[in-house]
Amino acid sequence: MPEPIVFYDIPRRVSMSEVNAWGPNTWKTRYTLNIKGIPYKTVWVEFADIEPISKKIGAAPTSTKPDGSPFYTCPFIYDPNTRIAVSDSVAIARYLDKTYPDTHPLVPKATAALQQAFLRAFEAEILPGKGELFALMMPQSHARLNERSQPYFRRTREAVLGQSLEEAAPRGSEKAKRLWEGVRSGFHAVAEWLKRAEDGGKELFFGGEGIVFADTVVAAFLTWIRLAFGEESEEWKGVLSWDGGRWGKFAEAFRKYEAVDAGSYYAEV
Amino acid sequence: MPEPIVFYDIPRRVSMSEVNAWGPNTWKTRYTLNIKGIPYKTVWVEFADIEPISKKIGAAPTSTKPDGSPFYTCPFIYDPNTRIAVSDSVAIARYLDKTYPDTHPLVPKATAALQQAFLRAFEAEILPGKGELFALMMPQSHARLNERSQPYFRRTREAVLGQSLEEAAPRGSEKAKRLWEGVRSGFHAVAEWLKRAEDGGKELFFGGEGIVFADTVVAAFLTWIRLAFGEESEEWKGVLSWDGGRWGKFAEAFRKYEAVDAGSYYAEV
């Protein structure tokens, strides 16, 4: 039995009965770890601590800021068995496939480059110009963060939106309805890729016979919406009605991979 | 040995030494047939004849026109062995995989939905708003068509471009240079998908170990550029220099699948 992987995730403010994992990017890695059944411990990291902790453990930046300096992001992991740190959700999945070859493969070689293309295609449909889902989700996500992360989150997200979080997509407004219509149409395009793959149109997962990394991406976005608005919200019920209930079935199939380890703890910086 | 598949392709005006296949969409199917080594005969169809011939042999429309009426496109095939007509290049590849299972598979089940996503991602990079490669290619493609197809082609392409073919991207102009820069950057994004798939960055094909349908798409676009501008053109030499010569190697690997059957004939309508 290997030592548990250390998995760095961003917390949200929660009551005792809620999970505090919330962000779509880190959900991809939590699904990855849970599907593979690899033991891990979550370390909760506020936004301001992502860079110093990444540097401390040697996790690489994943892109550059507008000023050209390195940009460090969550998720990242540290594997005490190999003493290797890995950042970026798809790189983490590839690393775990390679290092723990007896676990469920999420990026089989024959699909690796196609899955990179999938990430671009999914982004093109679900985050077009960051205008739709982004605008809908940012106010909800902000409201659920711990106080320490809120100012950073507000500043950076309002810069992208070009308006305040409060103006972006007020719940129930005509504007929000229009934005949801755009998101629905994006998910419909994704459903079409699955439907066209088999003439019968019954494919649930991008892996064909099983789950691949691309599926964890779709599931992560669905879970992001569900947790932000709540199981009983009109918004989530809307999602469940799209594409003949396809996304409800999809989300349901991922429920068993949503466990958050009980032994998680907050990062000490 | 089955009866040859009938493959409907759009001709261009050619000298005796040139191939008359030119369009990126039908090249996908020619590559498909040649990679699989399935015997076929090309029937050359001018634009105006695509709809009547499709209807005659029972090939379905692939989308709808702006007025809502069905839109028939090339490529389409007719398989005399099964008496089935199929349109749309990826549907043709799937049909041939299924009907001739001993041939090289281009849409393995584990990649089918991911390849549909690839088509969206490739389009998002290579034909953004139809502004770049489209504008560069349309004047060249028009000049090489047979006279009968030119008026239709000019009318429909100028409607998309919002300007005349002559204004779209005059060769050697600053505008054309800017558009080529956009295309280069699109192909660079595609190269990144391949490079990120393996840490070594040596993957040539999207199939990982072999060619899949997605690769025929990339090859078809490269061949479209090469045939339109010519092997010795500055434009093609530019493409060969991109991404450390990756696309030159890619195109070279497809040369052996470019045969056009000698027994091709023009459609009688």
Side-chain angles (χ1 to χ4, degrees), chain A residues 219-235:
Chain A
F221 274 77
L222 291 170
T223 300
W224 188 32
I225 298 172
R226 194 188 82 224
L227 293 176
F229 286 93
E231 201 91 55
E232 300 302 324
S233 65
E234 285 308 306
E235 287 89 347

Side-chain angles (χ1 to χ4, degrees), chain A residues 86-105:
Chain A
V86 189
S87 47
D88 185 83
S89 57
V90 65
I92 292 169
R94 282 207 312 269
Y95 166 82
L96 295 172
D97 272 6
K98 200 168 137 188
T99 312
Y100 302 99
D102 294 338
T103 62
H104 179 106

Side-chain angles (χ1 to χ4, degrees), chain B residues 12-13 18-19 21-24 27 132-144 165 168-173 175-177 179-181 183 187 220-240 242 255:
Chain B
R12 62 172 188 163
R13 187 159 39 179
E18 290 176 302
V19 294
W22 64 275
W27 266 109
E132 294 165 359
L133 191 57
F134 191 82
L136 290 162
M137 295 305 294
M138 290 305 116
Q140 298 298 312
S141 298
H142 176 266
R144 279 158 181 72
L165 292 176
R171 283 186 76 175
S173 67
K175 187 179 178 192
K177 276 180 204 158
L179 293 171
W180 277 113
E181 196 44 40
V183 178
F187 270 93
F221 274 77
L222 291 170
T223 300
W224 187 34
I225 298 172
R226 195 188 81 224
L227 293 177
F229 286 93
E231 200 92 54
E232 298 304 324
S233 65
E234 284 310 306
E235 288 88 349
W236 180 243
K237 284 178 188 163
V239 174
L240 296 183
W242 294 346
R255 286 278 177 143

Side-chain angles (χ1 to χ4, degrees), chain A residues 24-25 28 88-94 106-107 111-128 190 193 206 212-218 220-221, chain B residues 113-122 124-125 189 192-193 196-197 206:
Chain A
N25 294 318
K28 297 171 199 167
D88 185 83
S89 57
V90 65
I92 292 169
R94 282 207 312 269
L106 288 171
V107 193
T111 69
L114 291 170
Q115 291 204 63
Q116 290 291 153
F118 168 88
L119 296 177
R120 176 70 179 86
F122 188 77
E123 182 191 279
E125 290 298 344
I126 303 300
L127 293 173
V190 177
W193 304 336
F206 277 93
V212 292
F213 181 75
D215 297 300
T216 73
V217 175
V218 179
F221 274 77
Chain B
L114 291 171
Q115 291 205 63
Q116 290 291 152
F118 168 88
L119 297 178
R120 176 69 179 87
F122 188 77
E125 289 298 346
E192 285 297 308
W193 303 337
R196 282 187 208 137
F206 277 92

Side-chain angles (χ1 to χ4, degrees), chain B residues 126-254:
Chain B
I126 303 299
L127 294 172
K130 303 215 171 177
E132 294 165 359
L133 191 57
F134 191 82
L136 290 162
M137 295 305 294
M138 290 305 116
Q140 298 298 312
S141 298
H142 176 266
R144 279 158 181 72
L145 290 176
N146 287 314
E147 272 174 35
R148 194 164 157 238
S149 278
Q150 282 187 332
Y152 167 85
F153 193 86
R154 176 180 288 276
R155 192 177 68 247
T156 51
R157 273 51 180 180
E158 289 185 344
V160 172
L161 288 165
Q163 57 190 333
S164 75
L165 292 176
E166 287 70 20
E167 291 165 320
R171 283 186 76 175
S173 67
E174 279 308 310
K175 187 179 178 192
K177 276 180 204 158
R178 209 169 54 242
L179 293 171
W180 277 113
E181 196 44 40
V183 178
R184 190 201 60 72
S185 128
F187 270 93
H188 180 66
V190 177
E192 285 297 308
W193 303 337
L194 289 160
K195 283 170 75 175
R196 282 187 208 137
E198 269 296 309
D199 296 328
K202 289 183 199 132
E203 288 301 324
L204 192 56
F205 299 123
F206 277 92
E209 270 127 18
I211 290 170
V212 292
F213 180 76
D215 297 301
T216 73
V217 175
V218 179
F221 274 77
L222 291 170
T223 300
W224 187 34
I225 298 172
R226 195 188 81 224
L227 293 177
F229 286 93
E231 200 92 54
E232 298 304 324
S233 65
E234 284 310 306
E235 288 88 349
W236 180 243
K237 284 178 188 163
V239 174
L240 296 183
S241 75
W242 294 346
D243 291 300
R246 173 183 287 272
W247 304 118
K249 269 181 241 163
F250 195 102
E252 192 56 36
F254 270 79

Side-chain angles (χ1 to χ4, degrees), chain A residues 163-228:
Chain A
Q163 57 190 332
S164 75
L165 292 176
E166 288 69 21
E167 292 163 320
R171 281 186 76 175
S173 66
E174 281 307 310
K175 187 179 177 192
K177 277 180 204 158
R178 208 170 53 241
L179 293 171
W180 277 113
E181 195 46 38
V183 178
R184 190 201 59 72
S185 128
F187 270 93
H188 179 65
V190 177
E192 286 296 309
W193 304 336
L194 289 161
K195 283 171 75 175
R196 283 188 207 137
E198 269 295 310
D199 296 328
K202 288 182 200 135
E203 288 300 324
L204 191 56
F205 298 124
F206 277 93
E209 270 128 17
I211 289 170
V212 292
F213 181 75
D215 297 300
T216 73
V217 175
V218 179
F221 274 77
L222 291 170
T223 300
W224 188 32
I225 298 172
R226 194 188 82 224
L227 293 176

